Amino acid sequence: MELGSGHLGWAREVALHTGHDGGQGLEVHELSVHFGGLKALDRVSFDVGMGEVVGVIGPNGAGKTTLFNVISGFLHPSGGVVRWRGRDLRHHRPHDLGRLGIARTLQGVGLWPRLTVAENVACGGEPSLRADVVSAIAGVWRSSGEERRLSHRVGQLLEELDIAQWAGRLPGALPHGVQKRVALARALMCDPALLLLDEPASGLSETDMADLSARIHALRARMSVVLVEHHMDLVMAICDRVVVLDFGQLVAAGTPEEIRSSSAVTTAYLGVAVGADVDASESDHAAG
Ligand SMILES: Nc1ncnc2c1ncn2[C@@H]1O[C@H](COP(=O)(O)OP(=O)(O)OP(=O)(O)O)[C@@H](O)[C@H]1O
Ligand SMILES: [Mg+2]
């Protein structure tokens, strides 16, 4: 589905509220973030229904990570609102995310280099219990039932993500694909209902990417996922819907099939629309 620039105001609303019921999931409404004169996000609206996987794509600098930074309370918006499960998130902070049932992975890897794999995963648990969970994992079993429950959860996630064999290792020495799985396990520690993945496939091999695709597909049974990614094959294969950002504006939204054939997407990535009039000598030059 494509939005002509002259109709962005209403079309944005109509296009993004059709085809599913955002209901008690994530609702991003007219969200703006300005850094001085730069509009990193400019009145962006879209929904993510419960159990949906929604892709957010767009060229470098389009505003994708900024969007995650607002949803997760690192940044406060210049305008608009983020609503989660029917409630406005206006003054939340990153440390509120676990309680809200929201988790994210960071662009890159973002693991603590001096903590082991198991300790890094434990860091995704409730902040008040992290220190004790780390102690419990280290073998200091002075923990309460709750702490034992959390350290048990670390063990489960290490198994689920196939990283148990590296539990006691520092992440820096491990293959990139393993580090990415550790980051995902850490995000899953709080049993999120909404998972924000910022370029989870960056730097992955074909095999690791296929593994990631299957994992995200399986996660949808227990949570909603917003997937920021540059790997189009992955996005098109696993997302229910895709939204496209360009220079902070939402320029298209729709099913993967609709997005694949959208000239707005081509324009965003290549700077020229398919079928747009181009000077014949320029196109000859490009072809030759
Ligand atoms: N804290 C900040 N202060 C000033 N400008 C910022 C800040 N954070 C982001 N920006 C700018 O906002 C714009 C959007 O950045 P953002 O990181 O959200 O892009 P992105 O879509 O995630 O790009 P990429 O695909 O490269 O990760 C960019 O022009 C960036 O330079
Ligand atoms: Mg980014």
Side-chain angles (χ1 to χ4, degrees):
M1 186 172 303
E2 236 174 277
L3 310 179
S5 56
H7 303 90
L8 268 179
W10 68 266
R12 200 190 260 135
E13 289 298 309
V14 173
L16 295 173
H17 290 79
T18 53
H20 75 104
D21 175 13
Q24 294 293 295
L26 180 74
E27 299 164 69
V28 174
H29 183 71
E30 295 279 311
L31 195 66
S32 294
V33 172
H34 299 170
F35 295 115
L38 175 75
K39 293 182 176 179
L41 291 175
D42 187 13
R43 301 178 62 205
V44 168
S45 299
F46 67 98
D47 297 340
V48 181
M50 298 307 289
E52 262 200 316
V53 179
V54 172
V56 178
I57 65 172
N60 296 120
K64 305 178 299 293
T65 297
T66 301
L67 172 69
F68 277 7
N69 283 341
V70 176
I71 297 171
S72 52
F74 282 93
L75 272 179
H76 290 297
S78 314
V81 67
V82 174
R83 202 168 290 130
W84 167 235
R85 290 170 154 172
R87 188 183 141 195
D88 287 3
L89 299 180
R90 284 199 186 278
H91 304 292
H92 68 306
R93 306 288 304 166
H95 58 253
D96 298 318
L97 290 180
R99 179 176 52 78
L100 291 167
I102 300 174
R104 77 181 281 189
T105 62
L106 299 172
Q107 190 168 341
V109 178
L111 297 173
W112 298 101
R114 291 177 189 278
L115 296 183
T116 66
V117 163
E119 289 164 349
N120 265 284
V121 175
C123 286
E126 275 297 304
S128 60
L129 291 166
R130 275 177 202 158
D132 287 328
V133 173
V134 170
S135 307
I137 289 166
V140 189
W141 285 98
R142 57 186 172 77
S143 53
S144 67
E146 178 69 356
E147 291 153 11
R148 276 196 298 276
R149 189 186 64 76
L150 284 173
S151 63
H152 176 67
R153 180 73 184 131
V154 171
Q156 281 181 329
L157 284 168
L158 293 175
E159 292 292 338
E160 181 182 335
L161 274 294
D162 267 336
I163 48 177
Q165 62 186 299
W166 291 289
R169 299 276 301 277
L170 297 179
L174 300 174
H176 183 71
V178 173
Q179 295 186 38
K180 289 289 240 187
R181 295 212 298 277
V182 176
L184 180 56
R186 181 175 63 182
L188 294 175
M189 214 16 223
C190 71
D191 287 323
L194 175 65
L195 179 62
L196 311 173
L197 298 174
D198 199 346
E199 301 195 21
S202 66
L204 292 189
S205 66
E206 289 289 317
T207 311
D208 284 338
M209 202 147 5
D211 178 82
L212 175 70
S213 176
R215 287 182 194 283
I216 296 174
H217 200 265
L219 286 174
R220 68 187 318 148
R222 51 194 228 240
M223 64 194 71
S224 307
V225 178
V226 184
L227 173 66
V228 164
E229 233 336 306
H230 287 292
H231 287 87
M232 290 302 155
D233 289 353
L234 179 68
V235 171
M236 297 303 175
I238 63 177
C239 292
D240 299 302
R241 290 181 303 118
V242 180
V243 299
V244 187
L245 296 180
D246 189 23
F247 288 112
Q249 294 207 332
L250 193 150
V251 293
T255 64
E257 293 72 31
E258 288 167 332
I259 293 301
R260 208 191 299 270
S261 58
S262 162
S263 63
V265 176
T266 313
T267 304
Y269 276 94
L270 301 180
V272 61
V274 171
D277 286 336
V278 258
D279 181 79
S281 60
E282 266 181 39
S283 55
D284 286 352
H285 180 71

